[in-house]
Amino acid sequence: MMTKKYIFFILLLFPYLSFSQGKPVSESEARTKVFENYDISKHQYIHPDREIEALNKIIDYASQRVPFLTATQLRAGKADTSQVVQIIKNGQIFTYCYDANCSTEDDSATVLRHGNRRYVINVERITPQIWGAVPNDGKDDIVALQKASDYCIKAKRNLYIPAGDYNISRPWIIGRRSGAYTFSNYASLSIEGEAAQLESSQNATRILPSYNNTFAIGITNSRGIKISKIKIDGQNPVNKILTAAQEPLLDINNYVLNGSRDSQYSPYAGIVIDPFSKTVPEDGGYPGMTAYYNSSVSGTAKCTFEDVVVTDFVVGFLIEPYMPGAPLGSEITWRNCVVKGNKVGVASCNNQNRNLLWYGGSVGTCYYAFDGASYGTRTGNIPHIFGGNYGGKYLFNAKNANGESTVKAWGMHAERFGGIGFFGGAGVSGTNPAILTDCRFSFGFPTSSVDHHIVAYSSILFQNCVFANTKAEYEGAPLRIWKWGAVNITFQNCSLSSGGGNLALPVWADSEYNFIGNSLAEGGHNQGGSQGSTELTSNKRAASKAALNRHTLTVQTIQFADDPGSIYYVNKAVNTINLGTQTLTKDPATGTATFTVDDPGVVKVGDHIINRTTTNYESYLGTKTLSSNVSPIGTISAISGSTITISGIPESINSGNYNLFSTWWSRYHEPTIGDVISGQNVIRNVSKPDAWKVGNHITGAGIALGTYITAISGNTFTISKNAIATNSGTKLFDTIVYKVTGTQD
């Protein structure tokens, strides 16, 4: 039997429970099941046979207390006897409560009014549906989104955007849009979607702009903006056309499609921090938005983006593209964001964009992952990077004017990409090096390679980094570095593995690099048959000379435990041979090139080829304006008679005539002597044959530079080129090592 206590308990709870309930089939249908003469106020006991009747009476009672109405019915006075009302909008139900103290006018969303009675929306989460947004209907939702964010900023509420596709026909601007900025009136807001997924729209919150000339979301005059779990898909379909394995990734023209706007001060972007300033920039600013360039001096800071996905824009995230006078754009944090299929992943536009922090996530299918040299004043700071996965053509286009470190990165994992990129700029006097620690760089394009993997106008320090390859086809490309003047590049405890990791330096440049405790792995495609432990380090201690056999040593000092009183000095770490002017024939389909030499006995598989003909290579902004008369252009991958094949050809090298040099890292061997006879390709009576392996370069009096060992039998070496003079007991070596006293070892 149902007691009166039970009935009143239900009556007490029902108005609150009904807030989360759907609308009855119809109010009239519910009433037909209720006995109108049943007096609930008598508090009588109810017989079990009449419990259903009683419960239906309770439903009717609750419906009178919390009626389901439309906004039109409320405005007609249908809710005047109720303190709480359920309003039906676009198939959804929202709760409104009477507020005697409210004076806000009826806005059809948060406040509804009849006479002097105002009903204020009472929901746990503010959503754009309150203003009429309907996801997945293909209609424009920008008005609802804009009103929702404006309301939340004013009311200091958070905005939640349920899963679905939200179409926008113009930019969504978050923050104040006019008036002078002060620290007391900045905008603050948290926007959260349901989820953001790169490859799937299932359960995702997606913002879909229909245009390609402005931006999707602009944040102005704000502090403490947070956006999370939202995907933004643009109309520059890079991600839909290119993949990381395609050669078109090398061409900058493939990153701006369908007329998308790519202008210095107003590129098409997913999210822009401070898109406007006091005046219109020289490129005209964002089209149709001249009125937004007003008296506001922005100063947005302390923004956080978490689990945000941005695809198919010219720029994914853009920071202050035009902010003369008083830029800020600082304290920006990204966590687990994905930026793919944009020309630029993240672009910082001036040197006041500081304390930018990127955690995890990924940036790929782009020309530059992080760019400070393409937009605005082109002196932007690159975010500090902590982990994450990266790809595209270049990781960095970093250039600032403050003398600060251009890049600081920890734990990056980059694969199937072209080059690490550009550091500093001509005329930049930065003394603090870029620092990249515990990073893995696995280069890999299937055919042509970037011109240089690193272009350094400022110093760089690589610590505990690995340089390797993703694809076997790329193994012929050496690690190519161009650096300006006395800029210093340091490798410390790094691994330069076989393939693209092999470091190619011209002979006159080896002393301009610092090597501390690095390894240079060998074997396989590049190195032919050469063997032996190798390393690149500036100062070496070894148990004995034999312990260093076949090590690749940089210009450095050496001390041996069994010769404690002596210090040795490596005079030459890189050897080179002038091959003269040669006609190079390039095969773009394979990324290889061939040329012929008169004397193939002085070159071998694994040697690097240097171009000494002045050539224009790629510089900042994708232009071919870096003029250089010295650059590695590939690695010898095959020799057939006098025809030499080199792999990993830079994209700017085409068929033509070039002054070519062959170069290689020379190896240390403990002191060795042997006998050579002019016109013969053997060395007899070798004193230390165990110090050498097939494939090692070897020279000495009567042996031409570039000659290498093709076979070893006991103490007799067969070499690649006949001796040019007869000498007994000639010193055999590859690396030149002296004692500090000046005696050649």
Side-chain angles (χ1 to χ4, degrees), residues 180-498:
Y181 170 81
T182 67
F183 284 99
S184 62
N185 68 351
Y186 56 76
S188 181
L189 174 64
S190 176
I191 301 175
E192 180 182 2
E194 183 66 29
Q197 304 176 53
L198 177 61
E199 305 298 341
S200 172
S201 60
Q202 185 176 5
N203 297 323
T205 299
R206 296 202 305 166
I207 306 299
L208 306 177
S210 61
Y211 49 89
N212 64 357
N213 61 346
T214 51
F215 51 86
I217 297 176
I219 300 173
T220 68
N221 296 290
S222 299
R223 296 287 179 92
I225 298 292
K226 180 179 180 180
I227 299 177
S228 60
K229 299 179 183 179
I230 288 176
K231 184 181 183 185
I232 309 171
D233 285 339
Q235 295 292 323
N236 181 40
V238 174
N239 193 46
K240 300 177 180 66
I241 294 175
L242 298 181
T243 69
Q246 289 181 311
E247 203 60 25
L249 280 168
L250 290 171
D251 188 351
I252 196 169
N253 295 313
N254 290 328
Y255 291 87
V256 181
L257 306 172
N258 298 344
S260 297
R261 183 177 178 84
D262 188 15
S263 188
Q264 182 174 348
Y265 302 105
S266 52
Y268 181 49
I271 295 179
V272 188
I273 295 173
D274 291 336
F276 313 115
S277 186
K278 291 182 178 180
T279 58
V280 177
E282 60 189 58
D283 67 352
Y286 282 109
M289 306 193 79
T290 302
Y292 289 93
Y293 293 88
N294 52 41
S295 60
S296 170
V297 176
S298 193
T300 293
K302 298 181 179 179
C303 293
T304 300
F305 305 98
E306 187 169 331
D307 297 315
V308 174
V309 178
V310 182
T311 66
D312 291 333
F313 291 86
V314 174
V315 180
F317 289 92
L318 180 67
I319 307 171
E320 293 190 334
Y322 184 67
M323 191 58 59
L328 187 59
S330 65
E331 300 173 76
I332 313 299
T333 301
W334 296 264
R335 296 184 185 277
N336 300 319
C337 293
V338 176
V339 188
K340 187 178 181 182
N342 310 278
K343 176 187 171 185
V344 173
V346 179
S348 167
C349 302
N350 66 72
N351 57 27
Q352 295 301 309
N353 300 153
R354 297 176 177 174
N355 198 19
L356 312 178
L357 305 174
W358 180 279
Y359 294 93
S362 67
V363 183
T365 316
C366 56
Y367 204 81
Y368 303 119
F370 299 95
D371 188 352
S374 294
Y375 301 101
T377 62
R378 295 176 173 168
T379 57
N381 294 315
I382 300 299
H384 292 184
I385 299 168
F386 304 87
N389 297 296
Y390 306 92
K393 185 171 184 180
Y394 295 109
L395 303 182
F396 302 110
N397 190 29
K399 181 180 180 182
N400 64 40
N402 274 353
E404 300 176 355
S405 298
T406 50
V407 173
K408 289 184 178 179
W410 294 264
M412 297 182 71
H413 180 94
E415 63 179 39
R416 295 185 182 275
F417 73 107
I420 298 174
F422 303 86
F423 296 80
V428 175
S429 58
T431 56
N432 295 327
I435 301 174
L436 296 96
T437 303
D438 297 327
C439 299
R440 182 178 179 88
F441 304 108
S442 295
F443 303 96
F445 279 117
T447 53
S448 292
S449 171
V450 297
D451 288 345
H452 295 96
H453 300 94
I454 300 170
V455 174
Y457 285 95
S458 62
S459 297
I460 308 173
L461 170 61
F462 293 100
Q463 296 176 310
N464 308 323
C465 294
V466 175
F467 300 82
N469 288 299
T470 302
K471 296 180 68 65
E473 298 94 320
Y474 193 71
E475 285 187 352
L479 181 62
R480 288 190 284 264
I481 301 175
W482 184 94
K483 72 185 194 66
W484 178 65
V487 163
N488 185 272
I489 298 179
T490 298
F491 295 87
Q492 182 175 6
N493 299 328
C494 295
S495 172
L496 298 119
S497 61
S498 64

